[in-house]
């Protein structure tokens, strides 16, 4: 198919290059403002151990290949990792990672910047693919418009440079779907090898690659019912026209590609079943023991039992896959003031609605409307059906990818971040290019140009806090914490901003408390504070602190208390439990034997978490004194507030909350 052209090739290439370079620079330069986000520590620690020690026990649940790519700068720089740490026995990537990042003498900030510059190149490749695909469908202007929407999208500027697998999987899914569709039209050695290679890359990028199986099956189905013949060019060229003939060709080709992916998995895991590298400390168990995550029965139990027993796949790969299924079944999540461990069908549609810039939503809606208008104008009966079939056939791989991924997302119980639906955006960006295809009205062209400028303005306004972007439907980034947290807003990225604020604004001798969701180290960032009720404290000793007047600095995820057994509204049952524990544990007995100390330990943790839940219940109503990066909320509490939160009666607490609401004007 000849693509329509309208602009000089040199100009097109220049504009494309500038947009891709701008995308790379905007994303990478913005990360200089943030520390390691929650998952980056595990990705980089795991990837480094793969390269340096040929050891695969750390963090196998996220793609081997992106972790290797992220760790390349650390390997090249000769970074140091302690292999004598007892945490290796239990494959505790978080403890090993804390030591690797903050206590091994590595130049963490510099190496992290190099990693992000490296990962951002995947975003550049994704942008090029979006441009090339849209240009083939809609012409030069269409390609540039699609690329512009993508290049200045806050969500991709936020996640593209991070040492995670989300954008990598977005790229690979789009490329693999396109390559597979191409080979179903013309099957020769070149198209088969490209599709096989991309399937192999996908299989070690993220476990969501398995969605390529239904995507491939549906694309084969589309080809079977299409009248277009399949060109078979593996030997003498011949045309296959019947559905049986196409099926007989395409299914064996796909199965052979599966063997290539299987071989790629073994290669990336060192060609052996065991996860432990030669000469490395012995492993007692994975971070999530097999006994905990092995399905009790059904298909997946049989699958893991068989593949493990026969060593059909590396143990670490199987463990990572099993952990993904286990974690996806039940995980704490927050959504518009509600809490759940199994998610909501509306979570991802809502996340899409409030995290997508309004000009992009408008472009997607206009593109859909333009297509419908074109179908209506095509007439009725056969003419209408032919036009609809023709248009849908042209975008079949995009439509199938979009539909399969959204079906999977809506039914998923893992509702922890908007980033999990990033793979659905490229199809929309590409289709939006039809707004500026040859032959459209000047009014539609002008509207598209206005949307492009608006999109750029939205991106500029939120910079550098791309991760915290929320559109006006949610009340903007200032109100994002009321709707979504975790990686949709607060992935632990703003410790450097908090440190800078404290250096400027903290009063001499003022006590500072921190509650933080992430894998960064606030002491490494220069923050001297008491840690409030940590859910994950990386094996640091837990201490009981009385609440005193001072600065209380809470990340949005901590403020919503998502990952606690006492999350949600403060209830009478929680109040009773809090009072009983307080009466039992306070004050501590004068003599603490080891046995008494052990008995008190868990109860003290429960009391600490309950007190924190009580505190958060009040702070969610109180106006913060400052907010850093839209994700860290700072409250300067006086003696009366801290006394009431920790020791006041329910009546006193209610009166304090009423004062907070009045101060907010509510």
């Amino acid at each position: 198919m000849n693509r329509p052209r309208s602009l000089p090739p040199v100009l097109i290439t220049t504009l494309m290059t500038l947009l891709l370079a701008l995308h790379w620079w905007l994303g990478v330069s913005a990360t200089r403002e943030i520390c390691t986000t929650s998952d980056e520590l595990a990705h980089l620690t795991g990837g480094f151990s793969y390269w340096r020690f040929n050891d695969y026990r750390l963090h196998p649940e996220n793609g081997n290949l992106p972790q290797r790519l992220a760790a390349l700068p650390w390997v090249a720089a000769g970074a140091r990792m302690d292999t004598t740490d007892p945490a290796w026995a239990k494959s505790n990537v978080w403890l090993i990672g804390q030591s690797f990042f903050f206590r091994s003498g590595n130049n963490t900030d510099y190496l992290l910047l190099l990693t992000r510059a490296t990962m951002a190149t995947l975003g550049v490749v994704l942008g090029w693919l979006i441009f090339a695909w849209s240009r083939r469908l809609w012409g030069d202007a269409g390609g540039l418009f699609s690329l512009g929407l993508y290049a200045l999208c806050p969500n991709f500027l936020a996640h593209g440079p991070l040492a995670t697998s989300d954008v990598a999987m977005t790229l690979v899914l789009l490329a693999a779907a396109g390559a597979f569709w191409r080979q179903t039209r013309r099957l020769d050695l070149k198209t088969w090898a490209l599709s096989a290679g991309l399937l192999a890359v996908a299989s070690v990028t993220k476990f969501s690659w398995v969605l390529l199986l239904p995507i491939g099956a549906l694309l084969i189905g589309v080809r079977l019912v299409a009248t277009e013949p399949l060109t078979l060019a593996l030997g003498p060229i011949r045309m296959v026209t019947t559905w049986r003939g196409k099926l007989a060709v395409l299914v064996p080709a796909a199965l052979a590609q599966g063997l290539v992916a299987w071989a790629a998995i073994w290669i990336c895991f060192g060609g052996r079943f065991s996860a432990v590298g030669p000469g490395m400390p012995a492993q007692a168990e994975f971070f999530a023991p097999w006994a905990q995550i092995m399905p009790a029965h059904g298909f997946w139990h049989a699958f893991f039992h068989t593949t493990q027993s026969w060593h059909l796949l590396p143990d670490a790969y199987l463990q990572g896959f099993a952990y993904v299924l286990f974690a996806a079944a039940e995980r704490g999540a927050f959504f518009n003031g509600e809490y759940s461990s199994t998610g909501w069908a509306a979570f991802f549609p809502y996340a899409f609605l409030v995290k997508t810039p309004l000009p992009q939503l408008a472009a997607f809606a206009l593109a859909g409307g333009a297509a419908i208008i074109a179908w209506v104008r095509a007439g009725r009966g056969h003419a209408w059906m032919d036009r609809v079939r023709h248009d849908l056939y042209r975008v079949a791989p995009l439509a199938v990818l979009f539909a399969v991924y959204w079906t999977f997302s809506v039914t998923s119980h893992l509702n922890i971040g908007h980033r999990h639906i990033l793979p659905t955006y490229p199809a929309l960006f590409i289709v939006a290019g039809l707004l500026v295809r040859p032959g459209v009205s000047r009014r539609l062209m002008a509207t598209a140009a206005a949307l492009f400028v608006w999109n750029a303005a939205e991106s500029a306004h939120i910079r550098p806090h791309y991760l915290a972007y929320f559109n006006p439907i949610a009340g903007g980034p200032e109100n994002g914490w009321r709707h979504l947290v975790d990686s949709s807003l607060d992935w632990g990225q703003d410790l450097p901003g908090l440190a800078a604020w404290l250096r400027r604004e903290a009063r001499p001798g003022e006590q500072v408390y921190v509650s933080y969701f992430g894998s960064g180290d606030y002491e490494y960032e220069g923050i001297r504070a008491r840690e409030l009720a940590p859910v994950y404290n990386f094996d640091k000793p837990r201490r009981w602190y009385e609440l005193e007047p001072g600065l209380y600095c809470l990340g949005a995820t901590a403020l919503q208390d998502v990952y606690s057994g006492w999350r949600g509204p403060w209830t009478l049952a929680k109040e009773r439990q809090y009072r009983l524990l307080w009466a039992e544990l306070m004050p501590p007995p004068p003599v603490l034997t080891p046995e008494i100390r052990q008995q008190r330990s868990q109860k003290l943790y429960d009391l600490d978490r309950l007190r924190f839940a009580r505190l958060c219940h009040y702070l969610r109503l109180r106006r913060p004194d400052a907010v850093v990066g839209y994700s860290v909320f700072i409250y300067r509490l006086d003696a009366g507030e801290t006394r009431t939160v920790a020791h006041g009666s329910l009546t006193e607490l209610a009166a304090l909350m009423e004062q907070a609401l009045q101060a907010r004007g509510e």
Side-chain angles (χ1 to χ4, degrees), residues 4-75:
R5 303 179 63 94
S6 57
L7 299 173
V10 173
L11 178 60
I12 292 297
T13 301
T14 301
L15 292 174
M16 176 200 70
T17 303
L18 288 175
L19 281 171
L20 291 175
L22 180 63
H23 176 79
W24 183 92
W25 179 81
L26 287 173
V28 174
S29 60
T31 65
R32 301 189 68 172
E33 306 275 341
I34 66 175
C35 64
T36 174
T37 58
S38 185
D39 286 9
E40 285 183 294
L41 178 141
H43 279 71
L44 279 162
T45 303
F48 185 85
S49 70
Y50 305 161
W51 284 120
R52 181 68 179 80
F53 306 116
N54 197 18
D55 191 286
Y56 305 98
R57 74 185 89 174
L58 302 183
H59 206 53
E61 63 267 27
N62 272 292
N64 183 291
L65 199 58
Q67 291 182 87
R68 284 181 179 271
L69 179 62
L72 276 176
W74 299 66
V75 175

Side-chain angles (χ1 to χ4, degrees), residues 121 157 172 207 250 320 431 469 548 636 650:
T121 59
L157 289 171
V172 173
F207 284 106
L250 294 175
V431 171
Y469 180 81
E548 300 175 2
R636 184 170 267 127
L650 270 181

Side-chain angles (χ1 to χ4, degrees), residues 435-504:
L435 292 176
V436 292
R437 68 194 185 279
V440 300
S441 67
R442 291 184 178 180
R443 179 178 297 178
L444 189 57
M445 190 74 74
T447 301
L451 292 176
F452 183 92
V453 173
W454 185 9
N455 187 58
E458 287 284 289
S459 179
H461 179 71
I462 193 64
R463 178 177 169 79
H465 305 294
Y466 296 122
L467 191 62
Y469 180 81
F470 282 81
N471 67 34
I473 295 175
E478 299 85 358
N479 291 289
W481 68 279
R482 301 177 185 274
H483 304 274
L484 306 170
V485 290
D486 204 297
S487 59
S488 297
L489 168 64
D490 168 32
W491 223 5
Q493 71 271 17
D494 280 319
L495 280 186
L498 174 60
W501 189 93
L502 291 171
R503 287 193 295 269
R504 293 192 313 268

Side-chain angles (χ1 to χ4, degrees), residues 17 67 71 148 156 184 255 259 292 428 491 548 579 640 663:
T17 303
Q67 291 182 87
F156 283 92
T184 62
L255 293 175
L259 292 176
Q292 176 185 353
L428 295 172
W491 223 5
E548 300 175 2
R579 293 297 179 187

Side-chain angles (χ1 to χ4, degrees), residues 172 175-184 186-203 212 216 219 250 253-258 260-261:
V172 173
F180 191 83
W181 176 248
R182 186 178 179 185
Q183 78 157 12
T184 62
R186 178 184 174 87
L187 182 59
D188 56 27
L189 186 58
K190 180 180 177 180
T191 58
W192 182 90
L194 177 62
S195 183
L198 286 168
L199 179 65
V201 169
S203 68
L212 286 172
L219 291 178
L250 294 175
L255 293 175
Q257 290 169 347
V260 175

Side-chain angles (χ1 to χ4, degrees), residues 474-549:
E478 299 85 358
N479 291 289
W481 68 279
R482 301 177 185 274
H483 304 274
L484 306 170
V485 290
D486 204 297
S487 59
S488 297
L489 168 64
D490 168 32
W491 223 5
Q493 71 271 17
D494 280 319
L495 280 186
L498 174 60
W501 189 93
L502 291 171
R503 287 193 295 269
R504 293 192 313 268
E505 305 293 340
R507 298 165 183 169
E510 190 169 29
Q511 184 61 60
V512 178
Y513 295 86
V514 170
S515 183
Y516 169 68
F517 170 74
S519 60
D521 190 305
Y522 59 87
E523 293 178 352
Y524 175 85
E525 299 295 340
I527 299 172
R528 301 292 176 260
R530 293 176 176 176
E531 191 168 15
L532 281 171
V535 176
Y536 311 110
N537 71 335
F538 302 111
D539 220 27
K540 297 175 184 176
R542 295 185 183 275
R543 295 185 175 89
W544 172 265
Y545 299 113
E546 286 295 334
L547 301 187
E548 300 175 2

Side-chain angles (χ1 to χ4, degrees), residues 125-146:
V125 177
L126 175 58
W128 172 85
L129 182 57
I130 289 170
F131 165 79
W133 201 321
S134 179
R135 187 188 187 196
R136 178 169 292 275
L137 289 173
W138 321 117
D140 296 333
L144 290 173
F145 182 71
S146 297

Side-chain angles (χ1 to χ4, degrees), residues 597-613:
R597 191 184 303 274
Q598 184 176 6
Q599 291 173 354
R600 283 173 52 86
S601 178
Q602 182 58 46
K603 291 183 178 181
L604 267 176
Y605 173 75
D606 292 347
L607 179 62
D608 194 27
R609 292 299 312 174
L610 277 163
R611 183 180 65 175
F612 183 71

